[in-house]
Amino acid sequence: MTTDVGQHQMWVAQAWPFRTPRTFLTSGGLGTMGFGLPAAIGAALAAPGRRVACISGDGSLLMNIQELATLADHHLPVAVLVFNNSQLGLVRQQQELFFRRRYEASHFQTGPNFAALAESFGIRGSRILAESRDPLGEIAHALAEPGPCVIDIEMCGKANVLPMVPPGGANHQTIEHHHLATA
Ligand SMILES: Cc1ncc(C[n+]2csc(CCOP(=O)(O)OP(=O)(O)O)c2C)c(N)n1
């Protein structure tokens, strides 16, 4: 499992049931957007035959989207799941919680169709819409086929990742609930 940087990364860290050491490749600390896809390619090359998932955000994936060509060239079993909220979600969350909802440059007005973009690189692409009645089933269906794929998953743009440590704060100042942050 690899990730990029943002809300999707925190959700993976908080919710994915990791069982084996060294199976979570993520760019923490001074986290670098664009890390996820090349890291997934590296993981797939290092562990032949194993399925690798890269969970990314619509902002982060665009930072190294050209690596879809490398993925296609090597035809590696990497599934890129885009948590697509049409936002730089973690930036939006911080503007909401710590900057009195002064939103600036955190909402995308224009975003690509990542499934079509994948197809243009010769990689299978699919799209899960917010109205889907069976998103997990659709994701499982897309993952069932071998080879590389990009699954563009439309997300709610209002969700916040909690708990979180506020910028400049220490771990004992972790925010657990939304109302604490906005009080
Ligand atoms: C190269 C780089 N530029 C800027 C940042 C600062 N930054 C951290 S998270 C984030 C937003 C990430 O947005 P997205 O990839 O869409 O993920 P989301 O938070 O929506 O899940 C930004 C701009 C960074 N970590 N790396």
Side-chain angles (χ1 to χ4, degrees):
M1 174 72 73
T2 77
T3 74
D4 270 291
V5 181
Q7 290 184 311
H8 61 279
Q9 174 187 35
M10 293 173 68
W11 277 313
V12 170
Q14 292 177 2
W16 185 262
F18 290 102
R19 289 196 198 92
T20 317
R22 300 188 299 280
T23 53
F24 182 33
L25 306 181
T26 197
S27 182
L30 296 173
T32 309
M33 294 165 71
F35 174 87
L37 176 56
I41 292 170
L45 288 170
R50 289 183 67 179
R51 197 83 199 260
V52 178
C54 164
I55 294 192
S56 189
D58 47 315
S60 290
L61 186 56
L62 285 175
M63 296 258 176
N64 259 330
I65 194 79
Q66 77 283 358
E67 294 307 324
L68 286 180
T70 313
L71 181 57
D73 286 352
H74 294 277
H75 199 71
L76 295 164
V78 170
V80 181
L81 294 94
V82 188
F83 283 17
N84 191 341
N85 51 14
S86 302
Q87 294 173 1
L88 298 170
L90 194 58
V91 175
R92 197 269 305 142
Q93 173 168 342
Q94 301 209 4
Q95 289 171 345
E96 179 187 333
L97 299 184
F98 309 115
F99 295 93
R100 289 181 282 161
R101 299 194 175 86
R102 290 177 58 155
Y103 300 115
E104 179 61 37
S106 50
H107 290 75
F108 289 117
Q109 289 177 48
T110 302
N113 175 339
F114 285 100
L117 208 44
E119 303 273 353
S120 76
F121 282 92
I123 290 172
R124 208 158 35 81
S126 47
R127 235 177 163 184
I128 317 290
L129 300 177
E131 310 84 72
S132 167
R133 300 181 70 179
D134 182 19
L136 291 181
E138 286 186 44
I139 293 169
H141 181 74
L143 288 174
E145 294 194 33
C149 65
V150 173
I151 309 174
D152 186 7
I153 306 168
E154 203 180 352
M155 304 272 293
C156 164
K158 294 192 174 140
N160 285 335
V161 188
L162 293 167
M164 87 176 292
V165 177
N171 284 349
H172 73 277
Q173 294 163 321
T174 297
I175 295 167
E176 303 277 352
H177 303 290
H178 189 252
H179 67 269
L180 288 179
T182 50

